[in-house]
Amino acid sequence: MVRLSALGDVLHALPALELLRAALPAAELWWAVEAPGAPLLAGHPALDRVVALDRPGLRDPVRRPGALRGALLGLRELRAARFDAALDLQGLLRSALVARAAGARRLFGPRWAREGAGWLYSDPLDAPRPGEAHAATRYAALARGALAGLGVAAPAPEERLPAPRLGLVPTPPGDAPPGPLLVLLPGAGKPANRPPTALLAEVARRAWAAHPDLLVALVGGRGDRRRAAAIAARLAAPGGPPVRDVCGALDLAGSAGWLARASLVVGGDTGPLHLAAALGRPVVGLFPAADPARTGPAWAGLGPARVLAGQAECAPCRARTCRRADRVRICLRGLPVAAVSAAALELLGRPPPGAARP
């Protein structure tokens, strides 16, 4: 199975993995993924092996030849395994090339694949396009198509996606005091998915006013440090809430520990938000430019989720950066502080959620 990135997409592909394992209990199942997503899968009970491929080597082999050598080591490992079948869930040229490098007899992938990837498939599959269904639903449809092509019966489809099992074991935060915890996610891979820092800071201030024992934590990667510092500065006024900024200081398991401990997580369409939902935490998702129908919180039976989508006529554009000529993100006007704060306070006012799902 090939789904290289990003974290949210890897999480949304987990139902496809479970479906394959249920239909093929004795099969050897491998997953090829870019290195940042590998911790989500390492030790997953449905997988026999995770092959972590170097991201720069796959995306920029010309200017990063050293990184390319690292990626080639993983590709050689795939080639040596002599697979019967490979399934490309991503539908891009680089993911199709990784699947082809596995040397499988049958190579399945979406018929709508982009960048010429479809020419590499021996068995193109009919499945919903990215704009036609949620990512998790699309990946599960591809898994069912591959099973049908192999002549294997698939389990009956479920009405709602089950809670995902993770290979990742969260590392509990050792320095988080007891009491309610609000986690803010200042960053996202796509610039258009990053909520305004002023909005997140004001939501935290209002939540703290209603819950004076609230701790605010800022969780993200190294690239989120500047935005996290801006939020912390806004909350640093005398009488403001206590803030713990761990952006860039933790690995994925450590960040997952803070998410699993959270009473509420607020952020944009980003991997940590989907990880929080998979861990059973209540989430408020801010989707000014992203499409919740494609990538919104997906899991059934876990913590409650509230999604606030952009109300501009151009939303959801799903673009990395604003396409307007003036580059003014008018979609943010559909995310007023009062509405986001109301959603956050509603979920914070509920009884504490149950223990995080493993």
Side-chain angles (χ1 to χ4, degrees):
M1 202 165 101
V2 179
R3 175 68 234 196
L4 298 175
S5 64
L7 292 182
D9 287 297
V10 172
L11 286 163
H12 289 145
L14 288 174
L17 168 66
E18 299 279 11
L19 200 158
L20 291 174
R21 174 52 74 199
L24 302 166
E28 182 92 0
L29 291 182
W30 291 28
W31 188 322
V33 65
E34 289 181 1
L40 291 174
L41 304 173
H44 195 289
L47 278 172
D48 294 289
R49 185 169 301 187
V50 177
V51 178
L53 301 173
D54 187 85
R55 172 181 284 182
L58 291 174
R59 299 194 177 192
D60 194 5
V62 176
R63 289 186 294 177
R64 304 281 302 267
L68 175 60
R69 285 192 292 272
L72 289 176
L73 291 175
L75 296 179
R76 291 193 190 104
E77 184 180 3
L78 292 175
R79 172 68 71 174
R82 303 177 66 84
F83 292 96
D84 294 293
L87 170 61
D88 175 20
L89 297 177
Q90 199 156 353
L92 297 178
L93 181 58
R94 69 176 184 273
S95 59
L97 286 171
V98 169
R100 172 60 67 186
R105 302 174 193 171
R106 306 278 297 277
L107 176 49
F108 298 93
R111 194 178 299 277
W112 49 258
R114 295 172 287 170
E115 304 173 348
W119 292 102
L120 298 176
Y121 303 143
S122 65
D123 295 79
L125 300 172
D126 292 317
R129 291 176 174 269
E132 297 174 346
H134 193 280
T137 302
R138 291 188 287 109
Y139 300 149
L142 287 169
R144 290 184 178 279
L147 289 170
L150 295 171
V152 178
E158 301 187 40
E159 291 186 7
R160 301 181 67 188
L161 293 173
R165 291 189 293 175
L166 300 175
L168 180 72
V169 177
T171 302
D175 55 349
L181 172 65
L182 170 63
V183 171
L184 302 179
L185 305 175
K190 290 183 178 180
N193 290 350
R194 298 167 188 165
T197 55
L199 171 65
L200 292 179
E202 184 58 25
V203 169
R205 185 175 293 280
R206 295 189 185 192
W208 174 74
H211 299 272
D213 56 344
L214 185 72
L215 172 66
V216 178
L218 301 167
V219 174
R222 286 177 292 181
D224 304 325
R225 285 173 172 168
R226 181 176 297 180
R227 294 175 58 79
I231 296 172
R234 286 180 174 272
L235 296 175
V243 178
R244 194 71 53 84
D245 182 1
V246 297
C247 281
L250 304 172
D251 60 10
L252 187 57
S255 295
W258 282 89
L259 297 174
R261 160 76 173 75
S263 306
L264 176 66
V265 178
V266 180
D269 183 13
T270 182
L273 183 85
H274 298 296
L275 179 56
L279 290 167
R281 300 301 88 187
V283 301
V284 173
L286 307 179
F287 283 62
D291 186 355
R294 283 181 61 172
T295 55
W299 316 116
L302 296 181
R306 297 289 181 270
V307 175
L308 287 86
Q311 300 300 310
E313 61 181 14
C314 52
C317 66
R318 301 184 295 275
R320 289 190 64 84
T321 56
C322 185
R323 293 173 176 169
R324 289 170 49 88
D326 57 9
R327 294 295 189 267
V328 175
R329 288 182 58 198
I330 61 175
C331 58
L332 295 177
R333 298 171 187 168
L335 297 178
V337 171
V340 180
S341 298
L345 289 171
E346 177 197 353
L347 296 186
L348 278 173
R350 292 190 172 202
R357 302 287 286 266

